[in-house]
Amino acid sequence: MTERCEVAIIGSGFAGSLLARILAVLGYDVVLLERGTHPRFAIGESSTPLANLSLERIGRRYGLTDCYQLAAHGRWLAHYPQLRRGLKRGFTFYRHHPGESFADRGLESERLLVAASPTDAVADTHWLRADVDHHFVREAVAAGVDYRDRVDVTAAEFSPGHVSLSGQRNGEGFHLLADLVIDASGPGGFLARQLAIPSGLGSTHTRSALVFSHFADMLLMRDVLADLPEGPYPDDWAAVHHLIDEGWMYSLRFDDGVTSAGFLVTPPGMATLGVPESAGADAIWRTLLDRYPTIATIFADATPVMPVAFRPAIQHRLTRAAGERWVLLPHAYAFVDPLFSTGIAWSLRAIERLALSFELESHSRRMPTDDQLARYDALLHVEADQIDQMVAAAYEAMAHFDLFAAHAMIYFAIVSFTEVRQRLVRDDSAAWGGFLGAGEPVSGPLPGESLRRLRSITGGRGATGSADDRRRYAEWVSGSIAPRNVVGLADPTRNNLYPVDLDVLIDRHELLGLSREQMVERLPALRGMSDVPSIGR
Ligand SMILES: Cc1cc2nc3c(=O)[nH]c(=O)nc-3n(C[C@H](O)[C@H](O)[C@H](O)COP(=O)(O)OP(=O)(O)OC[C@H]3O[C@@H](n4cnc5c(N)ncnc54)[C@H](O)[C@@H]3O)c2cc1C
């Protein structure tokens, strides 16, 4: 039997489910197709202030109370304690060296902490994706989305009047006609295969392999390095990054004590390890731990709660993100690397754009216009490049901690400026603003220029450059971010420990086009406190 719907969405990660639900709220007839079932494991867990801003805007605009409640750790705990999550107060980085324990040199340690929030209540979160994605799919169903799991969609045929999807469910064939199909299958790459969209990976810079799991009984870094000077928040309640010669490790602690951890290893890093991929995930994991004594110590009694897994290459990139009757969500279009936690925020920003494009007030027909889809496509393209350059430059900068700490300031300056501006200065076009400053005159060129400068220091082969080279690079960063540096980054007197400092923000009011008085008056909005959403459109 042939069925019809207006919009078919392939994939029910949080992104597919949330977009499906918004479209249902807007009055669309939506079918959401998932090849697996919920709850299920998913990777990509660490949220950011920009992700939470998008969630709050979505909550407010479409009357989705839970989106607003889940956008801050305190509200999450108060309203959805059953959904597992972790407290994330900021971004923590340590540099480790092979065969050496992490050196506690007090304020001179190779350690960088950047606070993303002033208190636990308004802090970001790590999402236990099994719970969060399940929540979003249940809410989609409650909003009227026709959700079908265990579906194997085998074909999509495009004709001028509709898209025809066919496949199997429970051993029976199905046939669905949709006006538009949205690919939210992530790296599953459903439409990439159906439409033979060419890969764009060849023009990107970042390459890394991944070995990862979730672990019980891991120690905190603070258990091992109790004498390190106090930071702006407890080091471990953060997205913790361990920089190593071969790449880096993420460590995201959930409030129940389970930790999501994974090593990202560059191709030269894999070669250095000398463990063939065929040796398997456990052997690669063990070899990495054995090289870094402090990391080995925090994992000494840890047990994986699911098998350690290995993926030889995690990057993908396509050359188109939208066309006639089809759209890709960001994670179906491109993925670079978890460094700087860009995935959730970028996905939510794209959901905002698509949702706005479906709002009937914006056009006379019930589907996004060609212009809207072309704009979406063009923006994802420059944004994917921007993320790639930001991350590739960070890998380059890992050659020396001073270079890394300086480059990271570019990321933090761009995102903090965007966050503060979006919270304090009314901006109705925020959803269409380029992610990570992509396409913006001041921020846009910075990651690419940083990559170029870093490569001239490292030679692309990990050279650390001279002390002068590193000082000049840090000075360039400091000068370049000045027009966006509303939070006092790149300040040597901070010793790489950056709190949320409202006095600095007030002093720099002019960078946001505000008077001092306006700034002071609007500060409560920074915590999302003065702006409780009115539910219902
Ligand atoms: C190692 C790693 C770490 C990451 N860490 C972070 C982080 O800390 N912070 C962050 O912001 N982002 C992170 N990301 C990115 C993050 O994972 C993605 O941005 C996020 O998962 C996107 O969600 P999604 O719903 O679009 O897709 P996914 O979560 O990929 O969901 C896709 C869904 O589609 C389904 N599907 C696939 N193929 C089909 C098909 N053919 N038919 C039907 N259904 C299908 C899948 O079963 C799945 O349910 C990380 C990514 C990786 C690889």
Side-chain angles (χ1 to χ4, degrees), residues 313-385:
I314 56 166
Q315 288 70 32
H316 65 269
R317 171 73 188 266
L318 298 174
T319 44
R320 287 189 68 193
E324 195 175 345
R325 299 193 179 278
W326 62 272
V327 186
L328 306 177
L329 288 191
H331 200 214
Y333 172 66
F335 182 69
V336 177
D337 190 275
L339 194 59
F340 299 132
S341 308
T342 50
I344 296 175
W346 193 30
S347 298
L348 290 169
R349 187 82 69 88
I351 288 172
E352 287 188 83
R353 292 170 191 159
L354 289 174
L356 290 170
S357 306
F358 273 94
E359 288 188 13
L360 293 176
E361 299 80 36
S362 67
H363 47 72
S364 54
R365 43 185 242 182
R366 280 183 71 79
M367 290 292 138
T369 63
D370 293 348
D371 284 352
Q372 285 168 324
L373 291 181
R375 186 181 181 195
Y376 177 89
D377 176 58
L379 208 42
L380 252 57
H381 182 86
V382 292
E383 291 174 334
D385 284 349

Side-chain angles (χ1 to χ4, degrees), residues 69-147:
Q69 310 296 19
L70 293 172
H73 187 265
R75 300 200 295 265
W76 183 318
L77 264 187
H79 296 275
Y80 294 94
Q82 74 282 12
L83 302 182
R84 286 168 291 174
R85 90 290 2 143
L87 173 65
K88 176 179 177 183
R89 288 289 308 277
F91 291 74
T92 298
F93 302 85
Y94 305 102
R95 179 61 157 104
H96 302 259
H97 299 279
E100 296 172 20
S101 294
F102 180 83
D104 177 355
R105 295 196 214 102
L107 291 171
E108 302 294 309
S109 302
E110 292 179 296
R111 170 178 177 240
L112 166 67
L113 268 66
V114 183
S117 48
T119 64
D120 291 359
V122 295
D124 302 320
T125 43
H126 308 308
W127 299 3
L128 198 291
R129 289 283 303 275
D131 289 8
V132 175
D133 288 16
H134 197 193
H135 167 82
F136 277 119
V137 81
R138 280 193 306 247
E139 291 294 329
V141 171
V145 171
D146 180 354
Y147 170 63

